[in-house]
Amino acid sequence: MKNVCLYFKIHQPFRLKRYRFFDIGNDHYYYDDFTNDEIITRLAEQSYIPMAKTLLDMIRENGKDFRFALSITGTAIEQLQLYVPEFIGILKELADTGCVEFLSETYSHSLASLEDTEEFVREVKRHDDLILSLFGVKPKVFTNTELIFDDETALMISSMGFKTALTEGAKHILGWKSPDYVYCSAASPKLKLLLTNDKLTEDISIRFARTDWDRYPLTADKYMDWIAALPQEEQVVNLYFPMDTFGTFLPKSTGIFDFIYALPRFAKERGIAFATPSEAAARIKPVGELSVPYPLSGTDEARDVSAWKGNAIQREALHKLYSVSERVNLCSDRRLKQDWEYLQSSDHFYYMSTKNLADGAAHSSFSPYDSPFSAFTNYMNVLADFIVRVQEQFPEEIENEELNSLLLTIRNQSAEIDELNKEVKNLRNNILNYDEDDKRPAAKEKLKNRKPKTKSNP
Amino acid sequence: MKALMFGWEFPPHILGGLGTASYGLTKGMHSNGDMDITFVIPKPWGDEEKSFAEIIGGCNTPVAWRDVNWDYVDSRIGRFMSPQTYFDLRDHIYADFNYMRLNDLGCIEFSGRYPDNLLEEINNYSIVAGVIARTIPCDVIHSHDWLTYPAGIHAKNVTGKPLVIHVHATDFDRSRGNVNPTVFAIEKDGMENADHIITVSDLTRRTVIEKYGISPEKVTTVHNAVIPLSDEMLSLPRRKKKEKVVTFLGRITMQKGPEYFVEAAAKVLKKTKNVRFVMAGSGDMMEDMIRLAAKRGIADRFHFTGFLKGTEVYEMLKDSDVYVMPSVSEPFGISPLEAMEMGVPSIISKQSGCAEILHNVIKTDYWDIDAMADAIHAITSYPALFNQLRNDGIEEIKGITWEKAGRKVIDIYEKVIAARN
């Protein structure tokens, strides 16, 4: 039996406001609230809410037969909580049906997997904790920012306990192979890999409303025919969409919501099932290993990470950002931690791309800046201020390790002080009691034998 | 194809961008092959490059008969053109201009510059053009900038050949809107009499259409290009220095927006100290700028060089870390291309024509001194940005050649000639 896994992705970055160099050191608020509010409210109205309601209707209509996966970043959730709280309610409703699987990913849609292993682990944990606290489920299937994946990531996420991951069915990795099987990672054979089917995804996300397409118009009937016509052995079709495709790029008037709504009916007629990625991975055995020595992604023509690390300014900005990662981790300032999250969003680096032609057009259509250079300048100014703030927390001359041990000492000392305080209180009580009752040698004994218990780390 | 071009300046004796552009374009057209170009200028100096165009001087063109022999002509003007051309031209004198002040060869004197009696010189140039047009066979006439429009119109009337005029600038650019009515009239007359108009940017094209009321189909943009610099220039030594140098280079006039550069410098210097600013060039606003820099209290880090000539320009660029062109209105602006070619990242105003074709530069509005200061700060403090702009800029400029621009002009020639027949 064939399985169709649908994935819907929701991500929004905290876009930066115009931040000039003379603001460095003077202004510590970095975000363009107006734009962020405007964009997410518009997207929610046109796309997220109607789409989520359609999906909810589909679950109600088809019972447990219709299932799908949602991938939503921490920054997107924060923005929704701020500007469109009603959508969080709809997401909870979806979660309560039990037909929706929430995927694990980085909190801020970051590139930490490529830059900083330790931060990557923290990012994923922060994200999954948030999902657990909001929706009461712990994500089990991992998908990285924009489907970025390589062997190293495979090892990292395996060691974090993930058994399944979703990534891009990139031609240069698959070669003649089909993405419609379950594979496993060559680096970590216990990790099952699900791969997106680009052709069938783009038939909807790109070509659905194109009247010059020779298969236009696309109907749910026709679409399910294509899936049914795939070879018998190809058992899982992974379709991965940014959720805002529906309603913005493909406006309601194209009939896209009706198309999606009709999918389960025609799937059922042809014996095709909908599955969550966990179910698909559990049902189907991997057919072979895939080795991904260089990172791939689902973005740009090249399907690699050049969208974010393609030129010198992008690499410099990333390098500068992650150079303070350890320091930030030692800090406990909440605002600093929050800015650290927001500054990690891969979008900031995406805006700095200097690519031309079709890729370049895609980059600039999402960018709030008029050029990659102003994107870089603005980001670096903000980052400069951020780094100043990090350094204000602890003097720069102290090495991280030294600082770490000092912080440990401080923490231990406060624990020790607490303990001693407690003991002093006990003893004081004992002394008070002693006055009343002369014969209580136990307390006296204890007083004599007291030794300092805790020690600071050398 | 034979083209008769009228220009005002030609390298190496140039006063502005017009000469450089005329030279580059002619050379680029020549390299496309099958172009026979005669380039007329008011006053040649004899050291112009003649390999790709024949150069005729207005000041060497007889407008009244003088009985002189070959040897005499050769000794007088042999360095500029062959005596045979003189005699050919003498055979085509079309009226008696003896009432004018003429020299021993029957020629009118020209300064070849922008003298106070410019309008008279323009008129004389048109008289000379009549003789030349009757002598030199051509398929198309091409006039560079308003000074030569009357000459072009005259030549067109004499020969019946199509006239193409090349708008390198309009008076709206030069005067920030306070147009000189005489100049405007000459420009408009030229545009109306032309069979086709070439503008150096879409910005200028819009000016021509909107301000001069010309039909859009008659106006085509051919962006300027840049002549590859010689290895000698490119390999000029770069002084080692601790401080960054930010340079403004050009005429210090209203059109170039020098005051915005000073204001941006003041903003940058308030925050950082390891930057120096240089304003190279001269012009009617120089004293005001010196005063302004002093008023902002940045005179210790803001320097004036005065007019730079020849290689000094390139030595200055080589020592710069940032080149800034805050022009209020710049029809094209070749200098940022030269700066990029030298590996100097550039900041240009969105109001300049070259912004339409350049990618690896930072573009700001000329009045947005905050943005300009921010860009200067970014290039001087973030080495990654400097290197990115520098390396990609050098590559980008390699693709902007006069040969391509020349091809477009030849296509326009073919179109106007076909329309004539």
Side-chain angles (χ1 to χ4, degrees):
Chain A
M1 188 156 108
K2 283 200 192 328
N3 297 282
V4 174
C5 292
L6 290 173
Y7 304 82
F8 300 102
K9 164 96 207 172
I10 299 176
H11 166 63
Q12 286 302 319
F14 280 85
R15 289 167 202 79
L16 304 174
K17 67 177 179 185
R18 172 183 288 175
Y19 193 90
R20 301 285 188 215
F21 73 97
F22 32 79
D23 296 325
I24 299 172
N26 299 324
D27 180 0
H28 305 316
Y29 191 77
Y30 309 140
Y31 311 102
D32 186 347
D33 292 337
F34 182 82
T35 307
N36 291 328
D37 182 356
E38 188 270 327
I39 289 177
I40 200 148
T41 310
R42 176 165 48 83
L43 288 181
E45 260 169 41
Q46 291 178 354
S47 165
Y48 298 160
I49 292 174
M51 188 61 191
K53 286 196 167 151
T54 307
L55 292 168
L56 206 54
D57 287 346
M58 289 161 78
I59 292 173
R60 285 184 189 135
E61 168 104 8
N62 299 284
K64 299 274 171 197
D65 290 346
F66 181 70
R67 333 172 61 85
F68 63 94
L70 260 184
S71 154
I72 175 164
T73 62
T75 50
I77 290 178
E78 279 192 48
Q79 280 194 21
L80 289 165
Q81 284 172 329
L82 272 174
Y83 302 119
V84 206
E86 64 270 33
F87 186 68
I88 300 283
I90 301 177
L91 286 178
K92 281 186 177 151
E93 251 181 275
L94 278 171
D96 292 342
T97 63
C99 296
V100 182
E101 176 165 13
F102 286 87
L103 299 187
S104 167
E105 64 193 296
T106 54
Y107 189 89
S108 56
H109 208 238
S110 75
L111 300 170
S113 68
L114 302 171
E115 299 296 320
D116 187 332
T117 323
E118 288 167 30
E119 178 58 22
F120 173 71
V121 176
R122 291 193 287 264
E123 275 264 282
V124 174
K125 188 172 173 332
R126 271 192 293 263
H127 173 265
D128 293 358
D129 287 349
L130 179 68
I131 296 290
L132 182 64
S133 70
L134 271 180
F135 306 116
V137 285
K138 194 166 163 40
K140 293 202 172 59
V141 174
F142 182 79
T143 172
N144 205 354
T145 305
E146 299 292 344
L147 304 175
I148 292 173
F149 189 79
D150 66 351
D151 287 345
E152 248 175 81
T153 314
L155 288 171
M156 277 191 283
I157 57 178
S158 299
S159 69
M160 289 155 73
F162 290 101
K163 300 268 188 300
T164 314
L166 170 76
T167 183
E168 165 75 19
K171 285 256 160 50
H172 65 275
I173 294 299
L174 282 171
W176 53 269
K177 299 191 201 88
S178 156
D180 306 332
Y181 292 92
V182 174
Y183 292 88
C184 64
S185 162
S188 170
K190 285 204 174 142
L191 183 73
K192 289 186 176 178
L193 296 181
L194 297 166
L195 306 176
T196 58
N197 185 320
D198 278 6
K199 192 256 162 195
L200 284 168
T201 305
E202 286 172 5
D203 281 341
I204 297 177
S205 63
I206 295 180
R207 291 180 280 270
F208 181 79
R210 269 178 52 177
T211 45
D212 58 346
W213 184 31
D214 59 354
R215 316 301 269 281
Y216 182 87
L218 183 63
T219 58
D221 200 359
K222 203 196 273 187
Y223 192 74
M224 280 302 161
D225 269 344
W226 294 349
I227 293 180
L230 292 172
Q232 186 59 43
E233 303 76 34
E234 303 195 355
Q235 291 212 334
V236 57
V237 179
N238 295 296
L239 304 171
Y240 181 86
F241 305 98
M243 197 185 255
D244 48 329
T245 307
F246 307 96
T248 55
F249 180 69
L250 299 172
K252 191 167 190 283
S253 56
T254 59
I256 186 67
F257 293 116
D258 298 324
F259 169 84
I260 296 289
Y261 186 77
L263 285 175
R265 199 182 115 202
F266 292 100
K268 201 180 263 175
E269 281 178 10
R270 288 164 184 77
I272 299 169
F274 284 90
T276 63
S278 290
E279 290 165 352
R283 274 181 215 160
I284 307 165
K285 275 200 173 152
V287 291
E289 291 188 341
L290 276 187
S291 164
V292 189
Y294 302 103
L296 61 79
S297 83
T299 303
D300 284 358
E301 189 73 38
R303 297 284 195 262
D304 58 11
V305 294
S306 60
W308 309 275
K309 293 184 74 176
N311 64 30
I313 54 176
Q314 291 172 312
R315 288 191 292 271
E316 165 73 4
L318 270 169
H319 173 75
K320 276 273 146 60
L321 173 70
Y322 283 105
S323 69
V324 294
S325 164
E326 218 175 321
R327 267 300 151 103
V328 176
N329 189 38
L330 295 174
C331 299
S332 51
D333 184 312
R334 276 185 63 193
R335 268 199 67 187
L336 204 66
K337 293 255 186 193
Q338 190 181 28
D339 290 333
W340 170 243
E341 285 298 342
Y342 297 170
L343 290 179
Q344 283 191 65
S345 290
S346 59
D347 310 69
H348 302 306
F349 309 98
Y350 189 80
Y351 305 145
M352 296 176 201
S353 169
T354 46
K355 289 189 185 186
N356 296 318
L357 305 171
D359 282 350
H363 283 262
S364 57
S365 75
F366 283 103
S367 175
Y369 301 98
D370 58 1
S371 83
F373 308 115
S374 52
F376 175 80
T377 306
N378 209 51
Y379 185 81
M380 291 305 277
N381 290 344
V382 168
L383 192 57
D385 183 73
F386 179 76
I387 291 175
V388 169
R389 283 167 58 206
V390 174
Q391 282 162 357
E392 274 169 4
Q393 297 268 321
F394 307 112
E396 200 182 349
E397 310 83 61
I398 306 179
E399 292 288 320
N400 276 332
E401 280 170 29
E402 194 184 344
L403 183 63
N404 211 349
S405 72
L406 288 173
L407 286 173
L408 195 67
T409 310
I410 294 170
R411 246 175 265 140
N412 286 344
Q413 278 174 347
S414 74
E416 189 175 338
I417 290 170
D418 282 347
E419 199 150 324
L420 291 176
N421 271 340
K422 218 187 271 169
E423 221 166 302
V424 168
K425 209 172 151 196
N426 275 345
L427 292 175
R428 199 164 279 154
N429 284 341
N430 286 346
I431 292 167
L432 288 176
N433 295 341
Y434 193 79
D435 287 340
E436 291 158 13
D437 183 3
D438 256 0
K439 296 202 173 3
R440 280 194 63 183
K444 222 175 179 179
E445 198 78 348
K446 201 176 173 189
L447 192 69
K448 264 185 198 165
N449 292 342
R450 196 186 73 81
K451 269 186 210 158
K453 258 193 214 157
T454 43
K455 252 189 197 144
S456 64
N457 230 25
Chain B
M1 197 189 303
K2 293 187 176 67
L4 177 60
M5 278 197 192
F6 292 98
W8 201 258
E9 298 179 8
F10 209 74
H13 300 275
I14 53 169
L15 298 156
L18 174 60
T20 321
S22 312
Y23 169 80
L25 181 68
T26 316
K27 203 169 174 177
M29 288 169 67
H30 180 78
S31 61
N32 274 291
D34 194 31
M35 280 304 302
D36 200 348
I37 301 166
T38 304
F39 202 101
V40 183
I41 45 174
K43 180 176 177 162
W45 295 78
D47 50 357
E48 288 85 6
E49 198 182 330
K50 299 189 185 78
S51 61
F52 50 86
E54 189 185 351
I55 291 176
I56 293 181
C59 63
N60 302 325
T61 302
V63 293
W65 180 276
R66 291 289 183 276
D67 191 13
V68 283
N69 64 29
W70 181 284
D71 289 341
Y72 185 69
V73 173
D74 193 30
S75 71
R76 281 279 279 107
I77 57 170
R79 327 186 262 131
F80 308 118
M81 63 185 194
S82 85
Q84 186 57 47
T85 315
Y86 173 84
F87 292 113
D88 289 347
L89 290 165
R90 199 181 63 175
D91 291 341
H92 291 89
I93 293 167
Y94 58 96
D96 184 9
F97 288 104
N98 270 311
Y99 67 90
M100 300 186 73
R101 207 149 57 90
L102 304 176
N103 66 9
D104 52 339
L105 292 173
C107 304
I108 308 169
E109 297 282 354
F110 284 93
S111 75
R113 296 174 161 271
Y114 301 93
D116 291 337
N117 61 341
L118 187 58
L119 291 174
E120 189 190 332
E121 199 149 293
I122 291 168
N123 188 45
N124 291 347
Y125 192 59
S126 159
I127 292 171
V128 171
V131 177
I132 296 169
R134 283 175 171 83
T135 314
I136 312 284
C138 68
D139 302 310
V140 62
I141 300 155
H142 191 149
S143 283
H144 290 279
D145 239 14
W146 69 281
L147 303 142
T148 73
Y149 295 165
I153 296 169
H154 189 175
K156 175 182 172 172
N157 291 338
V158 169
T159 59
K161 300 292 179 190
L163 169 67
V164 173
I165 67 164
H166 208 123
V167 184
H168 294 267
T170 66
D171 210 45
F172 285 91
D173 303 310
R174 287 180 290 259
S175 64
R176 275 197 201 175
N178 298 320
V179 192
N180 178 331
T182 317
V183 177
F184 180 82
I186 294 176
E187 288 180 329
K188 192 164 160 66
D189 194 35
M191 292 174 192
E192 281 169 354
N193 280 287
D195 293 89
H196 207 87
I197 300 166
I198 296 172
T199 53
V200 292
S201 63
D202 292 333
L203 194 78
T204 312
R205 183 170 181 269
R206 278 196 296 280
T207 312
V208 167
I209 293 166
E210 286 161 16
K211 307 276 190 197
Y212 294 83
I214 304 297
S215 159
E217 64 194 4
K218 213 173 112 174
V219 195
T220 309
T221 299
V222 177
H223 286 108
N224 281 344
V226 65
I227 305 160
L229 289 171
S230 62
D231 290 340
E232 186 193 350
M233 298 297 173
L234 290 174
S235 60
L236 281 172
R238 193 177 149 84
R239 264 195 296 265
K240 279 213 181 104
K241 54 194 167 23
K242 285 195 191 110
E243 291 170 322
K244 306 283 182 185
V245 176
V246 182
T247 305
F248 168 103
L249 205 157
R251 278 178 295 120
I252 305 177
T253 60
M254 195 163 65
Q255 183 195 348
K256 305 289 178 185
E259 67 270 40
Y260 302 104
F261 182 69
V262 182
E263 296 290 2
K267 290 227 167 207
V268 175
L269 288 170
K270 214 177 270 174
K271 196 85 183 179
T272 45
K273 283 289 166 242
N274 69 333
V275 186
R276 286 188 185 276
F277 290 82
V278 177
M279 186 168 269
S282 59
D284 56 8
M285 279 175 77
M286 182 155 158
E287 284 176 18
D288 290 342
M289 290 306 109
I290 295 173
R291 237 172 272 134
L292 183 62
K295 211 165 116 192
R296 294 281 174 269
I298 54 171
D300 57 330
R301 303 217 145 242
F302 198 104
H303 311 279
F304 293 85
T305 65
F307 185 77
L308 298 182
K309 52 182 188 295
T311 54
E312 285 174 356
V313 172
Y314 300 101
E315 281 163 13
M316 184 68 240
L317 282 178
K318 198 81 188 183
D319 277 336
S320 306
D321 297 276
V322 187
Y323 176 78
V324 185
M325 185 177 78
S327 293
V328 172
S329 173
E330 187 73 61
F332 186 79
I334 285 184
S335 58
L337 280 74
E338 289 183 329
M340 287 164 76
E341 201 180 358
M342 303 280 287
V344 185
S346 299
I347 300 167
I348 59 177
S349 69
K350 290 180 183 168
Q351 288 71 20
S352 48
C354 61
E356 292 165 15
I357 56 163
L358 293 176
H359 299 288
N360 292 291
V361 291
I362 295 184
K363 301 168 194 173
T364 68
D365 284 305
Y366 70 84
W367 44 261
D368 194 349
I369 49 175
D370 282 358
M372 202 184 300
D374 202 28
I376 292 169
H377 172 266
I379 299 177
T380 51
S381 5
Y382 307 132
L385 183 63
F386 175 87
N387 289 325
Q388 176 81 25
L389 288 169
R390 176 192 168 90
N391 298 337
D392 285 8
I394 291 173
E395 282 309 309
E396 182 176 8
I397 295 300
K398 283 184 188 158
I400 303 173
T401 66
W402 277 113
E403 200 171 339
K404 289 183 195 162
R407 183 69 248 170
K408 287 184 197 157
V409 172
I410 294 172
D411 289 346
I412 290 168
Y413 284 180
E414 280 164 359
K415 217 168 75 187
V416 293
I417 292 170
R420 261 293 137 115
N421 301 329

